[in-house]
C-alpha cells in the first residue's frame, strides 16, 4: 500500500506554518481582549455622544418631550446668532492670551528649574509650581474669587498699600476676562512646565558643550540649540494648550459666571446654557459642532505650519 504521508521536511514546514498562524491569531485575540475596556469606553463616552449630537442638530429636543424634526433650522439659526459671535470673540481672546502666556511661562520656568541647584530647592520649587495642576479647578477658583473681591480681596488690599485704586477684577467688563485668563495661566503653566522640562532634559549635553567651545553665550545657546531641539515638545504643548483653552468652563463659571453680561462668557458656557438651562439640545449641539470644526481646523493648520519650524533630529 502506498503511503500518503508527506516527507519529513514538508510536514515539519507545514506544522511550523500552522503553529505560527495559531500563535499570531492568539496574540491578536489577546490584544483585542486587553483593548476591549478602553474601546468600550471610547465607544460609550466619545463615539456615541458625537453621533447623538450629530443627530440632535436636526431635531427640536428639550429633554422632557419627544424630539421633533427641525431640518436645517438649528444650522441656519447659527448665522443670525449675534450673541454667539460675541462669545466666540471672548473665547478667542482668552485662547490666544492663555495659550501664549502658558507656553512662554511654562518654558521659562522649565529653563530655570533645569539649571544646577540643590536637590531640596529644586524639589520644593517643582512641587509648588505643579501643585495647582493637581487641585480641583472649582475649589481654586473659589479661593481666587475671594482674593479678587473688590472690597475685601487681598489683591486689592495690596494694591491699595502702594497708593493705587482698587480694581474691579470680577465686576468690570474690562477686567473679568483678564481675571479668568490670569487664573488659568497660574493653574496651567505648571503642567506645561513639566512637558517642557522633559523636553529640555532629553537634549544631549554634547550640543551645549560644542556651543560653549564655539564661544556661544546663554542666549545664543538658547536660540540656536534649545529652541530648535525643543520645537517638537513646543508643538505638542501648543496644540494641547490651545484645545484646552477653548474648552475652559469651570474656572470662568466660578469666578464670574460669564458676567457682567456676556463680557467673560466663553463658548463652553454658552453650549451649557443652551443645553441645560434653555433645554435647546438641538441648537446646543449645532453650536458644539461649530467648536468641533474650529478645533479640527486649527489643529490641521498647526500641523501644516509645523513643517516650517518644528525640527526633528
Amino acid at each position: 500500500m502506498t503511503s500518503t504521508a508527506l516527507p519529513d521536511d514538508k510536514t515539519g514546514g507545514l506544522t511550523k506554518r500552522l503553529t505560527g498562524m495559531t500563535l499570531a491569531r492568539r496574540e491578536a485575540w489577546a490584544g483585542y481582549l486587553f483593548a476591549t475596556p478602553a474601546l468600550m469606553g471610547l465607544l460609550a463616552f466619545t463615539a456615541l455622544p458625537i453621533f447623538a449630537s450629530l443627530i440632535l442638530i436636526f431635531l427640536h429636543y428639550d429633554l422632557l418631550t419627544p424630539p421633533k424634526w427641525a431640518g436645517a433650522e438649528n444650522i441656519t439659526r447659527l448665522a443670525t446668532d449675534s450673541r454667539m459671535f460675541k462669545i466666540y470673540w471672548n473665547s478667542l481672546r482668552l485662547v490666544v492670551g492663555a495659550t501664549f502666556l502658558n507656553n512662554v511661562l511654562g518654558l521659562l520656568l522649565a529653563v530655570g528649574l533645569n539649571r544646577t541647584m540643590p536637590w531640596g530647592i529644586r524639589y520644593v520649587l517643582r512641587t509648588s509650581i505643579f501643585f495647582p495642576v493637581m487641585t480641583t479647578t472649582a475649589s481654586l477658583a473659589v479661593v481666587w474669587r475671594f482674593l479678587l473681591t473688590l472690597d475685601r480681596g487681598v489683591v486689592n488690599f495690596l494694591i491699595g498699600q502702594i497708593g493705587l485704586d482698587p480694581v474691579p477684577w470680577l465686576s468690570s467688563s474690562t477686567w473679568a476676562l483678564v481675571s479668568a485668563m490670569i487664573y488659568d495661566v497660574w493653574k496651567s503653566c505648571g503642567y506645561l512646565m513639566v512637558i517642557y522640562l522633559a523636553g529640555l532634559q532629553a537634549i544631549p549635553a554634547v550640543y551645549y558643550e560644542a556651543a560653549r567651545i564655539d564661544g556661544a553665550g546663554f542666549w545664543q545657546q538658547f536660540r540656536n540649540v534649545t529652541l530648535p531641539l525643543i520645537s517638537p515638545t513646543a508643538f505638542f504643548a501648543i496644540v494641547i494648550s490651545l484645545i484646552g483653552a477653548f474648552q475652559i468652563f469651570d474656572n470662568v463659571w466660578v469666578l464670574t459666571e460669564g458676567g457682567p453680561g456676556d463680557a467673560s462668557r466663553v463658548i463652553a458656557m454658552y453650549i451649557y446654557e443652551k443645553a441645560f438651562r434653555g433645554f435647546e439640545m438641538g441648537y446646543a449641539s449645532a453650536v458644539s459642532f461649530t467648536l468641533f470644526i474650529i478645533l479640527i481646523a486649527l489643529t490641521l493648520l498647526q500641523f501644516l505650519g509645523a513643517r516650517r519650524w518644528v525640527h526633528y533630529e
Side-chain angles (χ1 to χ4, degrees):
M1 182 180 293
T2 304
S3 174
T4 59
L6 294 173
D8 291 341
D9 57 341
K10 294 183 179 180
T11 304
L14 180 61
T15 302
K16 289 181 179 179
R17 286 196 297 271
L18 290 175
T19 304
M21 291 177 60
T22 303
L23 290 175
R25 187 171 298 175
R26 287 178 180 176
E27 290 179 356
W29 278 108
Y32 293 145
L33 289 175
F34 279 115
T36 296
L39 292 175
M40 292 180 62
L42 182 67
L43 178 66
F45 299 108
T46 302
L48 289 179
I50 291 175
F51 181 71
S53 298
L54 184 60
I55 295 176
L56 282 172
I57 291 177
F58 303 98
L59 300 174
H60 287 307
Y61 182 48
D62 59 4
L63 297 176
L64 302 175
T65 58
K68 299 178 182 179
W69 181 254
E73 182 179 336
N74 290 321
I75 299 175
T76 56
R77 181 180 169 186
L78 294 171
T80 59
D81 190 349
S82 58
R83 187 169 174 232
M84 183 189 70
F85 289 108
K86 174 179 173 55
I87 292 171
Y88 257 123
W89 174 241
N90 292 339
S91 298
L92 180 62
R93 288 187 293 163
L94 180 62
V95 166
V96 172
T99 302
F100 175 78
L101 293 175
N102 272 323
N103 281 274
V104 171
L105 188 57
L107 178 58
L108 293 178
L109 290 171
V111 171
L113 292 177
N114 197 43
R115 301 174 69 85
T116 303
M117 64 179 66
W119 179 86
I121 296 177
R122 180 187 291 112
Y123 178 80
V124 171
L125 289 176
R126 290 182 181 181
T127 303
S128 59
I129 295 172
F130 190 74
F131 180 77
V133 180
M134 301 182 294
T135 311
T136 58
T137 302
S139 60
L140 290 178
V142 170
V143 176
W144 270 75
R145 187 171 184 174
F146 172 75
L147 294 175
L148 297 176
T149 302
L150 179 61
D151 298 326
R152 302 185 300 273
V154 176
V155 175
N156 278 331
F157 171 77
L158 296 176
I159 290 176
Q161 297 303 303
I162 59 176
L164 298 178
D165 295 330
V167 178
W169 296 103
L170 305 177
S171 58
S172 167
S173 58
T174 302
W175 289 101
L177 194 64
V178 176
S179 302
M181 187 186 305
I182 293 173
Y183 169 79
D184 182 73
V185 172
W186 172 80
K187 187 181 189 305
S188 303
C189 69
Y191 179 69
L192 296 182
M193 176 202 71
V194 172
I195 294 176
Y196 281 115
L197 190 59
L200 289 172
Q201 292 178 349
I203 299 176
V206 64
Y207 292 125
Y208 293 107
E209 294 174 2
R212 283 193 293 269
I213 292 174
D214 291 337
F218 172 79
W219 171 245
Q220 291 175 321
Q221 293 179 40
F222 181 76
R223 185 181 60 183
N224 299 315
V225 178
T226 303
L227 287 182
L229 293 178
I230 207 176
S231 58
T233 304
F235 173 65
F236 171 75
I238 291 171
V239 170
I240 63 170
S241 59
L242 185 144
I243 294 174
F246 260 114
Q247 297 175 336
I248 288 175
F249 174 84
D250 43 2
N251 56 347
V252 181
W253 178 265
V254 176
L255 283 175
T256 65
E257 296 185 6
D262 284 333
S264 62
R265 196 174 306 276
V266 291
I267 193 64
M269 295 177 64
Y270 188 58
I271 294 171
Y272 168 80
E273 175 188 324
K274 289 297 180 182
F276 299 108
R277 285 191 166 184
F279 297 104
E280 300 177 75
M281 300 299 295
Y283 187 63
S285 297
V287 177
S288 67
F289 262 88
T290 64
L291 177 60
F292 175 75
I293 293 171
I294 289 173
L295 289 177
I296 292 294
L298 290 176
T299 304
L300 289 176
L301 287 175
Q302 289 181 86
F303 272 94
L304 293 175
R307 300 175 182 176
R308 298 185 177 183
W309 64 276
V310 177
H311 306 282
Y312 296 95
E313 293 187 66

